[in-house]
Amino acid sequence: MSLTGANETEAMAAHPAIAGLASPLLSAEGVTVRYGDFHALSEVSLALAPLGIHAVIGPNGAGKSTLFNAISGYVRPTKGRVLFDGTNVTGWRPDRLARFGLARSFQISAIFPDLSVEDNLRMALTREVRGLSLLRRRNSLALGEDAERLLVETGLASRRKDRAADLPYGRRRLLELVATLLLKPRLLMLDEPMAGLAREDIPEVTALIARAADHCAVVLVEHNLQVVERLAGEVTVLAAGKLLSRGSYRQVAADPRVREAYIGESTHD
Ligand SMILES: Nc1ncnc2c1ncn2[C@@H]1O[C@H](COP(=O)(O)OP(=O)(O)OP(=O)(O)O)[C@@H](O)[C@H]1O
Ligand SMILES: [Mg+2]
């Protein structure tokens, strides 16, 4: 299937989402995903700077996860393309994208429940090193500075010998995020990182994501709008598979179309 002709590429270059960033780390251009006759996503574009946090919000069924799936290789776009660091990665498998620096967390669980916290981090580190047999070297492999720092920052250091399965849910989420960060992704994609978290766990996960964004690009789908307001420099709003609004949180929150889309959702619930 021909995804993009030259004319289409020129037209897309003029798209505001693409034109606004001098050299985006990621640009999804005119991404369309159809299931039969149903358009789950229609001509959606997204450009992400190399650092900072972008949020994708919208009512249930808006196409947020579909956009993530199309970018991270879980679904092949029917139309459009995805460029990562200038390379056309459209249709690449998730594992190849991960090796290229695109990590999607909370989807492929990085956590092994029967391993301890620190062995989980060793596992994450070991995956980076080709040919290293984890089972043989696990106990002798030093965690290294980054892992030690993240353990302390997240408060997981005191539970380093505990089995991951024995951690409360919020701690497990933090561990998953830490394990993903150890892979040093260039782009971290988080689909609803706060889902299922107790209220008291939200500030810690929020803070970890904020710090991660000093080192990589983060794009997150999140229904908790307080978290979006706190974290996101730019927000994309989708509704019914289409781009509805884009701007700062303040800008999109003031957009009457956005308000209408959310009101429409609440009357359906
Ligand atoms: N594999 C599929 N086959 C058919 N339809 C699908 C498939 N995956 C998603 N859809 C439909 O595409 C639309 C967008 O789904 P998507 O999961 O992207 O929404 P979302 O914005 O992530 O919603 P939520 O906030 O509920 O997670 C929905 O109507 C959904 O039912
Ligand atoms: Mg979703």
Side-chain angles (χ1 to χ4, degrees), residues 35 38-41 58-67 69 75 191-192 221 223 238 265:
Y35 294 110
F38 177 70
H39 281 67
L41 204 62
N60 293 119
K64 305 178 297 293
S65 295
T66 302
L67 177 62
N69 288 339
V75 158
D191 196 350
E192 302 195 29
V221 168
H223 283 290
L238 299 182
E265 182 191 35

Side-chain angles (χ1 to χ4, degrees), residues 199 206 223-231 249:
R199 191 185 293 248
T206 303
H223 283 290
N224 182 329
L225 295 181
Q226 280 177 322
V227 168
V228 171
E229 182 175 20
R230 153 91 175 76
L231 284 179
Y249 179 81

Side-chain angles (χ1 to χ4, degrees), residues 1-3 8 30-44 63 66-67 69-70 74-80 240-241:
M1 182 193 314
S2 162
L3 291 173
E8 200 178 347
V31 174
T32 296
V33 175
R34 268 199 310 262
Y35 294 110
D37 289 339
F38 177 70
H39 281 67
L41 204 62
S42 305
E43 298 278 338
V44 171
T66 302
L67 177 62
N69 288 339
Y74 287 88
V75 158
R76 191 178 174 95
T78 312
K79 226 174 88 185

